[in-house]
Amino acid sequence: MGHRPALAVLDILRGEGVDRIFGNPGTTELPFLAALQDADDAPEYVLGVHEGAVVSMADGYARGTGRPAFVSLHVAAGLANGLIGLLNARRSRTPLVVTAGQQDRRHLQQDPMLSGDLVGLAASAVKATYDIQHARDLPLALRRAFALALRPPAGPVFLSVPMDLLTEDTEVEVPPRTSTPPLGPAPGLERAAVLLGAAARPAIVAGDGVGREDAFGALVRAAEACGAHVHHQPMADCLDFPTTHPLYAGALPPRHDAIRAALSPYDTVLIAGAHAFTPHHYSPGPPLPPGLTVVQLDSDPDEIGRNFAADAGLVGALGPSLHRLADLLREQVPAHTAKGRILRAGEHHAAERDRAESAARAAYSPAPLAPWAAAHAVARGLPPNTVVVEEAITVGLLLRRLVRLDRPGSYTHTVGGGLGWGIGAAVGRALAEPGRPVVAVLGDGCTLFGLQGLWSAARQSAPVLFVVMNNGVYRTLQDTYETMGGLGVCPGTELGPLDFTQAARFFGVDAVRAESADHLRELVAGAGQLTGPLLVDVPVRA
């Protein structure tokens, strides 16, 4: 059965499970908006007043629902504004399908206002692009885009759609949706189990693929089967292993020399779903210590051996593979051996956590707060079942050491590096999981980049607690400057005094300033009772 082009788009969106459209419209989107207006069961249009917030909301929504989110941007300028969010989504492997309306084809050669090379602009920030020139091609390309957005490695896919194409007086065929069979367990798990089973000091690096593919419980089983210490990958975007578990050994730092040092006590490591140990600051040498036996498991075949050699490279779905590996390891490692390792690891890691707790509690004071105290107050105030959306850079590193989380999906970050993601992502996450409290922990610089997202938070009455760590400086730049031998204050890093309560109220968001660490903890503890957004301005010592 045929449909007009705009109606065909809506038909495909319904079939793909799209119930919300994240957008900031312009003239080139008017034909699509008209179709939304006329349809009885069209997806809800979630408006953002800046494309950065629009894409970030879609990112948070896709992570919360596990489905590709749909984004509608406006011509070259709107796409350019959304590129930061698309770069973040690509690095974080968030599945998005993104369209932008191109100018009318009938005068495109005349270089009309708002026109541009949309495909060229988007190409470096997405997995794939489609330049639609014929109405008959749009449904097929859109089907492909949804499938490709989910295929490992997941990520955003872009389509350029001329505005006049959607108004053509023609009918197009909508191809049926084809269900893709899920990947199964990886071949070669028997040899991997032998390598890990023979290890005297096994370790696991939990990559973000574990969180994305809902393999959290399977990794716990595999770790317990051999008693392996578990580290999060550097700058992890997800909670990939419970931080409350006795085997949890913390996150690897984002430097090759520091990763080598952290992994040097082990003789064998399983690297599960980790993207190539993405470093932040350069240090010479490889990321892995010499002599380490490496088992690498990923659903993306391009990851195997990408940045380091693996003694066993396995390609398969992480959940089924890790469950199968756990069963095989129970045959290789005696139960008493695994239990002994878990007990010793728990004693060691508990002592480390106690030292961090003591240091943080000792720093409690009235505002302005020490960073340790601010991070601890947030971590201890979190209500049960909270989703933490973190874009706090320096305080976020401390927060990761202090949070006690054991539910999948309860910690979200972006390794993409494009600032301004956190506010929109938190709103999207609240829309995706309305029953869970959402606490967004943000740096003051990150908040400035994404401030327009507060408009959407107010518009959607999103019950998000926005916690802004306000130290008036780009702290991470100043810290790096000092490690490079810089003296004094690095030029271009001072923000000066900022009152984020005023900014929040301008957008219609209630706001309060934290007066002490105890006050901050109380405010965070109340996140589960929110019926709308609340911003907490936290003065932090620079």
Side-chain angles (χ1 to χ4, degrees), residues 102-116:
Q102 178 60 285
Q103 256 281 12
D104 194 308
R105 291 169 297 175
R106 290 169 293 187
H107 68 167
L108 196 56
Q109 289 301 318
Q110 301 171 43
D111 193 24
M113 189 176 70
L114 305 179
S115 65

Side-chain angles (χ1 to χ4, degrees), residues 157-499:
V157 179
F158 174 75
L159 300 92
S160 169
V161 184
M163 65 178 297
D164 60 300
L165 184 147
L166 292 177
T167 63
E168 285 187 5
D169 187 16
T170 184
E171 290 195 349
V172 296
E173 294 298 321
V174 176
R177 186 176 188 274
T178 301
S179 298
T180 303
L183 286 174
L189 287 166
E190 292 76 10
R191 179 166 180 264
V194 170
L195 293 174
L196 287 164
R201 300 178 306 280
I204 295 174
V205 176
D208 285 329
V210 174
R212 286 193 302 268
E213 297 185 30
D214 197 22
F216 191 86
L219 185 63
V220 171
R221 286 192 67 230
E224 290 178 346
C226 62
H229 291 206
V230 181
H231 293 268
H232 266 115
Q233 73 169 66
M235 299 186 292
D237 275 356
C238 310
L239 185 72
D240 303 309
F241 194 82
T243 63
T244 55
H245 199 284
L247 288 172
Y248 182 62
L252 294 175
R255 290 174 54 101
H256 280 182
D257 56 355
I259 295 171
R260 283 198 306 274
L263 295 181
S264 62
Y266 309 113
D267 58 2
T268 304
V269 63
L270 166 64
I271 300 171
H275 174 54
F277 284 174
T278 305
H280 186 194
H281 300 293
Y282 171 77
S283 61
L288 302 180
L292 184 67
T293 298
V294 177
V295 177
Q296 187 178 9
L297 169 65
D298 211 287
S299 57
D300 178 7
D302 287 342
E303 284 298 331
I304 304 302
R306 179 185 177 94
N307 279 5
F308 46 79
D311 297 274
L314 312 175
V315 179
L318 295 184
S321 297
L322 289 168
H323 274 305
R324 176 61 180 150
L325 181 61
D327 293 338
L328 293 169
L329 284 170
R330 293 189 189 282
E331 300 172 5
Q332 296 283 335
V333 181
H336 69 273
T337 299
K339 289 180 180 178
R341 290 172 178 171
I342 294 171
L343 179 62
R344 291 190 296 274
E347 293 172 349
H348 175 70
H349 297 149
E352 290 184 340
R353 285 193 282 265
D354 287 346
R355 284 193 291 271
E357 284 277 338
S358 297
R361 287 186 180 278
Y364 268 43
S365 72
L369 307 184
W372 265 112
H376 185 273
V378 171
R380 292 300 158 267
L382 293 173
N385 199 29
T386 297
V387 176
V388 177
V389 177
E390 182 262 300
E391 194 187 19
I393 316 300
T394 48
V395 175
L397 294 175
L398 304 177
L399 182 65
R400 287 168 181 254
R401 295 179 61 183
L402 293 166
V403 289
R404 303 288 179 263
L405 301 172
D406 57 9
R407 177 172 173 178
S410 56
Y411 200 97
T412 305
H413 175 69
T414 180
V415 76
L419 299 187
W421 164 89
I423 293 177
V427 174
R429 195 62 186 267
L431 293 175
E433 298 183 271
R436 298 184 70 177
V438 177
V439 175
V441 184
L442 312 165
D444 47 6
C446 300
T447 302
L448 289 174
F449 271 70
L451 207 55
Q452 297 95 333
L454 292 177
W455 183 91
S456 295
R459 174 72 169 259
Q460 297 291 325
S461 297
V464 177
L465 184 71
F466 298 101
V467 180
V468 181
M469 300 297 177
N470 186 357
N471 59 17
V473 64
Y474 286 130
R475 183 71 257 173
T476 188
L477 286 180
Q478 183 63 35
D479 289 346
T480 305
Y481 177 72
E482 292 169 2
T483 63
M484 295 169 60
L487 300 176
V489 177
C490 178
T493 60
E494 292 185 284
L495 300 176
L498 296 166
D499 187 347

